[in-house]
Amino acid sequence: MATLIDFYRQHVTLMVSGDTEALSKLLAPDFYLVHMTGMQQSKAEWLAAIDSGEMQYHEAQEHRVEQLNDNEVLGQNLVDATIWGSRGSWRLQLHAFFSHTPQAG
């Protein structure tokens, strides 16, 4: 059985591979991302930015990941990305909240 840390790592792997179809299935409909600038981006906006190439994640090196409780994970990665045309490496932290959603059979 997958752990929350497994789901967190899957999220990062899919982000780097640019697999927005799989990300869309993994992420809740009301998912949103708060960037280090404070900008909030909806699931649809973020996935569209990945699909268009505005946001390209080249590599993510995990530095720390910790399950905080039954539904929260805190992960820190060094991420190499091209965001709106500027490439760089950033130390990013993702505080992820999880909920169980039944899948259609």
Side-chain angles (χ1 to χ4, degrees), residues 1-2 7-8 13 37 49 54 61 63 75-77 80 88 91 104:
M1 184 169 168
F7 286 119
Y8 166 83
T13 298
T37 61
E54 291 177 324
Q61 297 175 0
H63 282 253
Q76 297 172 338
N77 292 280
D80 175 19
R91 294 185 186 282

Side-chain angles (χ1 to χ4, degrees), residues 35-36 42 105:
H35 293 272
M36 60 190 202
S42 72

Side-chain angles (χ1 to χ4, degrees), residues 2-104:
T3 67
L4 294 185
I5 290 175
D6 293 332
F7 286 119
Y8 166 83
R9 288 179 174 147
Q10 182 182 12
H11 171 245
V12 172
T13 298
L14 294 170
M15 180 182 80
V16 171
S17 70
D19 189 342
T20 55
E21 185 177 330
L23 271 171
S24 183
K25 291 176 185 174
L26 179 68
L27 302 173
D30 60 349
F31 169 89
Y32 64 92
L33 193 65
V34 178
H35 293 272
M36 60 190 202
T37 61
M39 180 185 87
Q40 185 171 312
Q41 197 172 30
S42 72
K43 174 182 171 178
E45 292 168 333
W46 185 54
L47 296 179
I50 294 171
D51 280 336
S52 73
E54 291 177 324
M55 294 188 163
Q56 298 175 359
Y57 299 92
H58 308 292
E59 183 181 12
Q61 297 175 0
E62 185 177 292
H63 282 253
R64 177 176 167 247
V65 62
E66 175 184 2
Q67 184 167 337
L68 303 176
N69 57 45
D70 288 344
N71 63 352
E72 290 179 74
V73 170
L74 185 65
Q76 297 172 338
N77 292 280
L78 178 62
V79 177
D80 175 19
T82 302
I83 306 298
W84 297 300
S86 295
R87 186 165 183 170
S89 292
W90 293 276
R91 294 185 186 282
L92 300 180
Q93 178 169 287
L94 180 63
H95 188 178
F97 298 85
F98 295 86
S99 63
H100 176 72
T101 306
Q103 301 247 340

